Amino acid sequence: MTGAEPWLDLPAALAVPPGAGAICDDEGARKIGRGAAEGAFTTGPVMVAHASLTARRLGIAPPPRSAEMLDVLELFAFVRPARFCAPSPSGLALAMGQAEPKGAEAQATALRVAATALLKELADPAYPNREDAFTLNETLARAGWSWAWRVSGALQHQPLRERQHRGSGLDVWSRLAEWEDEAPRGEAGSAPVDSESARIRLEKLLQASGLDETRPTQSDYAAEAAYAFSPRNEEGRPRVLLAEAGTGTGKTLGYLAPASLWAERNQGAAWVSTYTRALQRQIDRESAALWPDPAERKKKAVVRKGRENYLCLLNLQDMVQAAQLGNGDLIGMALASRWALHSRDGDMTGGDYPGWLPGLFAVGAAHQASAANLVDRRGECVHAACPHYRTCFVEKTIRASRRADLVVANHALVMTQAAFDGARSARGLKQDGETAALKRVVFDEGHHLFDAADSAFSACLSGQEAAELRRWLRGPEGRGRRGRGLEQRLGDLCADNEAATSALQDAIRAAAQLPGEGVSGRVAPASGEVNPVGPIERFLVAALEQLRARTSENATAGGGEFGMECSLRPVTEPVLEAAREAAKALAAVEAPLLALSRHLEDILDDEAAELDGSSRARIEGALRGLDRRARMTLPGWRSMLAALEVGGDEPDPDFVDWLSAEAAFGRIHDVALRRHWIDPTVPLEAAVVMPSHGVLITSATLSDPMSDDPFDLARLRSGAARLIEPARTLKVESPFDYAANSRVIVVNDLMKDDTRQTAAAMRELFLAAGGGGLGLFTAIRRLKAVYERLGPDLAKQGFPLYAQHVDPLEVGALVDVFRAEQDSCLLGTDAVRDGVDVPGRSLRILAFDRVPWPRPDLLHKARRERFGGGPQARAYDDALARARMSQAFGRLIRRADDKGVFVMLDAACPTRLFASLPPGTEVQRMGLAEAVELVGDFLR
């Protein structure tokens, strides 16, 4: 494949799917054995797709970057920044508009074709911003990037302007557009949305999407959803609708129809909240039916996530500068900089950042261009003091959401921000603005609302959490990376206020009593010789002693798969004594922080005429951080500790308090005191539902047919049960023909505790289906054990097997590869079940290793007693397991022409757990051999 240009002379391309690999060079593609593949991989030069994953398949360590190792995924990231690509040869082929390559030889050929096409794309005179690309590539060349000279040749195929001096191309922060403030939008109006208008809007949306006719069930859904967008008549009486819409109903466009009408008529933002990133992306895509013009859609529809999801430009600048001095991965930082210049919104977790990019080569975790290093997840944002404040992605997104018609957020952001805004409003302070206009909200994936509220409204005093607070107050203390303590962030603003300066210094001194870096090594060292420093660490040591005394020997030895936990009460005397000292230490931090907060508020008032906009923004940003910690986190921790003194041995009727230890690789890495609401919908209702005017809670799995009232549990787990104005309910059946297109099998001749039998069963079922298999597990340990046996067996037949917690890819990338490779198989846990949206043949058989019963931990037992109570306890567990199975089944049939088989490998699975599956599904119990034959016949 030698080209006329030297930059098109490419080395051999190596593909290593399961079984034998293949190589493609100028002489064509041919299969090679594992030894030859390893030789080609280690000696080079060679092209691959995902060097680390290729190395794992060859059983060798991930390679460092070298001139001999050319990863085509890196070339894709350079040529098409912020564009989607699944990280595999097949994913590259599909992203380049090719057909999916089947087999090793086709994949190796596809790699070579993709690399050639990408280089020719650079050489095209119409390639945008060629000058910028060339400048950055020169920096990459100096860093030793293996693609650099070929990229340079391609870019110079067309003349470039002569320049005396070219910069590094890394200073993306200086080339991003700045945000601009606009006048406040004002309170949204109260114009209603009637059912007929919603039906008409839906019809227009379907036509814009290229669909000819409205499905009656979808039209009915849109008409009923309009209720949540009608004006409320009294404060505290929101219009709430619980709506179940079976898979295929088209509920996204169904609720976008009335939501968009309401936004237009009332000059306000309708919020749509999801649980998974995948659905956020899907809703954003479907909003194109409302606003086909990308520029208009960017203004009208905004995806909102927490601050910890977005690239921090100051972090990027610091890591780029460190890498330029030889302390870091300059190539990774350069590619991240190129992405930042083209990204829609700077979202690194589920947005357009290629999450697989940092893991292609062996780069130390601290130096990777990863979200862990580049987002602000440490609470150290300096707001207006940041030199990149005017180009900040977070600030842009917050401002855009204030002007948008549609804000696509997630449950966690909506709840935590609403709780925070509500607390500030109660004190007479201005709301943060991110959810100040949260008057109409759609909770899609509403079946996850309870769990999201549980996470948002809980409290946890642990070594890691307390160390994080110390770092926020005192700075990184000896770490080589960027970090600014409170004094660095606020010192100059307090310099002229003696009282504020004194409070600041008192808080910083008091924070020395909090745990520092390496707390787990002092509280739970491998040697067993504890060395706690400070009262919080002494409390955690006492807590760990109580944990070990009250848990089984097996759990104590290795922390168990889920770690350890025990009831807080009755409390041992050492825990009680240590809790008193810990509470004093926390109070010593809290008091000066509250004083500092008051002094900063005084500065805002007293110096209103003198403060410039930047200083005011810095103080307001600092006050938000202080409020979260001094008025929410620290009081929550102290209340848990104080309850030990006054509670005796009787538990609090509203909360569950317990001690826990988290374990990984046989070592305890954190100890915690935890408090959760038994019913987290109490704060959910107070913070989110009651202040709203209209709420739509929707999902494909809300109702439970085994209950006298199918929506009874949904009311309990959404907070709707306590509403003054009763919530309406709606159930719309799926239009799919499940009787014809699906099969449900319980395999009844396996021992579920024998991983060899589970692996053998999945092997035969996946082979009978010709791949496209998803195996779901309730325990990581069993998943890994099955993977070890299943992987080689599938490899012999040429079926790729991927696995969560095994492969060096995050869940989203694993699902992307699974979707791209039609015959691949995937093993995962709950996160995979909730995040899979794979229409078509890529998912055609789904197998549970056992019934997904809720884990009977202390928190679940308390909730089962509250919501189930006595003889109803079994019904509560049944309902939760039924919902999980129904959600998984819903992943299997995504389109009218999909066919799929749902298999339960647990013979003890009760038939009643299948009651939530769609009408037309029939459960068949049979042996494995019969099941394999049925799967093969049905899916062929």
Side-chain angles (χ1 to χ4, degrees):
M1 199 181 289
T2 303
E5 302 292 343
W7 44 269
L8 280 176
D9 285 335
L10 296 172
L14 175 68
V16 188
I23 200 160
C24 179
D25 54 23
D26 292 340
E27 298 176 2
R30 58 193 179 278
K31 283 189 177 180
I32 56 175
R34 178 169 173 169
E38 183 177 339
F41 185 80
T42 54
T43 59
V46 67
M47 293 190 299
V48 296
H50 208 299
S52 288
L53 186 58
T54 305
R56 202 192 67 73
R57 282 190 173 160
L58 291 171
I60 57 180
R65 283 199 181 87
S66 73
E68 304 296 295
M69 180 68 65
L70 292 84
D71 199 313
V72 185
L73 287 169
E74 275 196 331
L75 180 63
F76 184 93
F78 181 91
V79 178
R80 297 186 178 184
R83 300 270 291 277
F84 173 78
C85 177
S88 69
S90 297
L92 269 166
L94 292 170
M96 298 300 297
Q98 305 170 31
E100 182 195 346
K102 299 289 186 73
E105 293 161 293
Q107 289 185 17
T109 302
L111 265 184
R112 199 166 168 84
V113 170
T116 301
L118 287 167
L119 289 170
K120 287 182 176 179
E121 197 171 313
L122 286 176
D124 191 319
Y127 186 76
N129 303 310
R130 293 171 60 246
E131 297 279 345
D132 288 345
F134 184 78
T135 299
L136 184 65
N137 185 61
E138 287 192 316
T139 297
L140 285 163
R142 290 191 291 273
W145 190 37
S146 56
W147 286 104
W149 75 264
R150 290 181 172 85
V151 167
S152 180
L155 288 169
Q156 293 183 90
H157 189 65
Q158 302 293 329
L160 293 166
R161 282 180 297 174
E162 292 291 334
R163 288 190 179 179
Q164 289 281 337
H165 172 72
R166 290 183 185 272
S168 67
L170 295 165
D171 58 341
V172 58
W173 43 84
S174 68
R175 289 177 284 148
L176 291 169
E178 295 186 348
W179 52 261
E180 293 183 0
D181 260 336
E182 298 183 43
R185 195 177 192 179
E187 187 80 13
S190 299
V193 176
D194 60 276
S195 297
E196 189 57 32
S197 295
R199 290 183 193 271
I200 295 170
R201 171 56 61 91
L202 174 62
E203 190 173 344
K204 291 180 178 178
L205 293 182
L206 291 169
Q207 290 172 354
S209 301
L211 301 172
D212 295 332
E213 59 183 44
T214 307
R215 284 166 279 182
T217 53
Q218 187 181 26
S219 182
D220 292 344
Y221 177 89
E224 290 294 325
Y227 171 72
F229 297 93
S230 58
R232 66 180 184 181
N233 295 326
E234 293 182 42
E235 184 180 10
R237 292 183 174 227
R239 307 283 193 173
V240 177
L241 174 65
L242 300 172
E244 177 174 292
T247 305
T249 302
K251 69 178 184 299
T252 303
L253 288 181
Y255 60 65
L256 286 182
S260 60
L261 272 174
W262 180 87
E264 286 177 16
R265 293 177 179 179
N266 295 287
Q267 298 298 300
W271 284 60
V272 177
S273 178
T274 77
Y275 188 70
T276 61
R277 296 166 183 163
L279 186 56
Q280 269 188 301
R281 290 196 299 269
Q282 179 187 323
I283 294 169
D284 183 44
R285 287 194 302 269
E286 295 207 30
S287 69
L290 283 162
W291 305 288
D293 177 41
E296 183 185 18
R297 183 158 61 98
K298 189 173 182 179
K299 293 180 180 179
K300 295 287 190 179
V302 174
V303 176
R304 275 296 287 121
K305 297 182 181 180
R307 181 176 292 272
E308 68 280 359
N309 293 278
Y310 297 94
L311 172 70
C312 169
L313 292 170
L314 192 54
N315 274 348
L316 177 64
Q317 181 181 12
D318 284 352
M319 292 197 74
V320 161
Q321 290 173 346
Q324 286 178 302
L325 296 173
N327 184 27
D329 176 23
L330 185 56
I331 294 173
M333 291 302 150
L335 293 172
S337 298
R338 183 153 172 77
W339 161 79
L341 195 62
H342 294 81
S343 174
R344 172 183 169 178
D345 56 9
D347 181 1
M348 296 193 76
T349 61
D352 52 21
Y353 185 72
W356 39 260
L357 188 58
L360 297 181
F361 293 97
V363 176
H367 300 303
Q368 289 181 353
S370 63
N373 293 323
L374 292 175
V375 303
D376 173 37
R377 62 171 75 248
R378 300 173 301 282
E380 62 186 16
C381 178
V382 294
H383 299 280
C386 177
H388 312 310
Y389 182 63
R390 298 287 304 181
T391 54
C392 174
F393 286 114
V394 177
E395 296 295 332
K396 284 180 184 176
T397 308
I398 291 172
R399 281 160 178 77
S401 69
R402 294 172 183 167
R403 306 292 303 177
D405 282 7
L406 179 69
V407 180
V408 185
N410 55 62
H411 297 349
L413 172 70
V414 168
M415 291 178 199
T416 56
Q417 195 63 40
F420 178 63
D421 283 347
R424 287 177 64 83
S425 294
R427 295 174 48 235
L429 298 176
K430 186 179 76 172
Q431 291 187 10
D432 185 88
E434 294 188 48
T435 57
L438 192 64
K439 296 295 183 284
R440 308 287 171 172
V441 58
V442 177
F443 284 110
D444 204 339
E445 298 180 302
H447 57 278
H448 283 300
L449 206 52
F450 187 91
D451 294 328
D454 181 41
S455 177
F457 299 111
S458 61
C460 171
L461 170 54
S462 71
Q464 298 299 332
E465 291 288 330
E468 182 70 10
L469 177 59
R470 173 175 173 145
R471 187 211 53 74
W472 184 80
L473 288 163
R474 295 176 62 90
E477 296 184 295
R479 286 194 289 175
R481 56 186 294 181
R482 181 180 79 87
R484 289 170 174 79
L486 203 56
E487 187 169 25
Q488 291 171 289
R489 297 198 296 275
L490 294 179
D492 60 323
L493 293 174
C494 300
D496 296 331
N497 188 307
E498 186 176 339
T501 300
S502 176
L504 175 61
Q505 295 301 326
D506 288 346
I508 292 170
R509 279 192 296 271
Q513 294 296 299
L514 298 173
E517 292 296 317
V519 55
S520 63
R522 296 186 295 275
V523 170
S527 65
E529 298 178 9
V530 297
N531 182 32
V533 177
I536 308 298
E537 292 190 13
R538 287 193 287 274
F539 169 74
L540 296 176
V541 168
L544 185 56
E545 289 173 354
Q546 178 172 324
L547 269 165
R548 286 174 167 149
R550 297 190 180 159
T551 51
S552 68
E553 205 170 300
N554 289 338
T556 305
E561 184 171 350
F562 299 104
M564 295 184 287
E565 66 171 29
C566 75
S567 295
L568 184 59
R569 295 179 175 84
V571 184
T572 63
E573 192 59 34
V575 169
L576 195 56
E577 291 179 8
R580 296 187 188 108
E581 297 303 314
K584 290 178 184 176
L586 294 176
V589 177
E590 182 182 333
L593 288 181
L594 288 171
L596 176 60
S597 182
R598 289 192 294 270
H599 293 314
L600 290 175
E601 289 169 0
D602 291 341
I603 291 173
L604 282 179
D605 289 339
D606 298 341
E607 302 178 20
E610 293 82 17
L611 281 176
D612 58 37
S614 174
S615 297
R616 175 172 291 277
R618 287 176 62 191
I619 293 175
E620 289 176 347
L623 283 171
R624 286 195 292 270
L626 287 167
D627 274 358
R628 289 185 187 279
R629 291 160 179 85
R631 290 192 167 92
M632 297 175 77
T633 300
L634 283 165
W637 289 352
R638 285 199 307 105
S639 69
M640 287 193 291
L641 295 169
L644 300 182
E645 293 280 5
V646 299
D649 292 342
E650 288 298 317
D652 190 299
D654 294 323
F655 297 98
V656 179
D657 297 326
W658 78 97
L659 300 173
S660 71
E662 296 179 11
F665 306 109
R667 282 196 56 190
I668 292 171
H669 62 83
D670 205 6
V671 182
L673 168 61
R674 299 180 181 274
R675 165 169 280 193
H676 284 237
W677 285 84
I678 294 178
D679 184 359
T681 67
V682 172
L684 168 66
E685 180 195 21
V688 182
V689 179
M690 289 290 282
S692 299
H693 290 217
V695 179
L696 168 60
I697 300 170
T698 188
S699 167
T701 53
L702 276 184
S703 68
D704 182 16
M706 298 296 283
S707 172
D708 292 338
D709 179 351
F711 283 93
D712 188 45
L713 189 60
R715 289 191 187 91
L716 285 174
R717 289 175 64 85
S718 66
R722 290 185 301 276
L723 293 174
I724 302 171
E725 183 94 12
R728 287 189 183 182
T729 60
L730 171 70
K731 184 177 173 69
V732 180
E733 298 290 356
S734 169
F736 296 156
D737 185 351
Y738 289 102
N741 292 351
S742 68
R743 295 290 182 269
V744 179
I745 302 170
V746 178
V747 177
N748 58 13
D749 59 354
L750 299 179
M751 293 180 60
K752 66 182 180 182
D753 293 324
D754 187 341
T755 55
R756 293 175 301 176
Q757 291 191 34
T758 301
M762 286 193 177
R763 177 193 67 216
E764 296 305 319
L765 290 165
F766 290 176
L767 289 176
L774 175 62
L776 293 177
F777 292 79
T778 57
I780 298 171
R781 173 180 46 81
R782 289 197 301 275
L783 181 155
K784 290 181 175 179
V786 168
Y787 176 85
E788 291 301 319
R789 294 181 176 276
L790 183 59
D793 290 344
L794 291 181
K796 291 175 184 176
Q797 304 299 321
F799 294 111
L801 178 66
Y802 300 94
Q804 184 190 9
H805 305 293
V806 176
D807 286 312
L809 293 170
E810 49 92 25
V811 171
L814 280 172
V815 174
D816 289 339
V817 173
F818 179 59
R819 185 186 298 110
E821 299 181 359
Q822 197 173 86
D823 297 333
S824 64
C825 299
L826 175 63
L827 306 182
T829 57
D830 285 354
V832 170
R833 181 195 70 210
D834 294 331
V836 166
D837 182 24
V838 183
R841 279 184 53 77
S842 290
L843 174 53
R844 48 192 179 271
I845 181 167
L846 184 152
F848 264 106
D849 79 317
R850 59 179 61 191
V851 176
W853 296 113
R855 189 159 63 94
D857 55 23
L858 293 168
L859 185 57
H860 174 71
K861 289 177 181 176
R863 286 173 176 161
R864 181 169 59 193
E865 182 63 29
R866 171 71 59 87
F867 298 124
Q872 297 299 315
R874 192 193 79 172
Y876 182 70
D877 283 352
D878 281 1
L880 296 183
R882 230 183 338 261
R884 292 173 182 176
M885 289 167 59
S886 180
Q887 290 151 23
F889 182 86
R891 305 292 95 190
L892 193 58
I893 307 292
R894 307 298 291 170
R895 299 187 311 210
D897 58 349
D898 280 357
K899 293 185 71 174
V901 181
F902 180 101
V903 182
M904 174 61 69
L905 299 178
D906 186 345
C909 180
T911 300
R912 65 181 184 273
L913 296 187
F914 294 97
S916 289
L917 299 191
T921 52
E922 177 189 351
V923 180
Q924 302 178 69
R925 294 179 179 269
M926 61 187 69
L928 177 61
E930 189 179 353
V932 168
E933 184 178 358
L934 188 154
V935 167
D937 291 342
F938 180 68
L939 293 178
R940 256 183 220 120

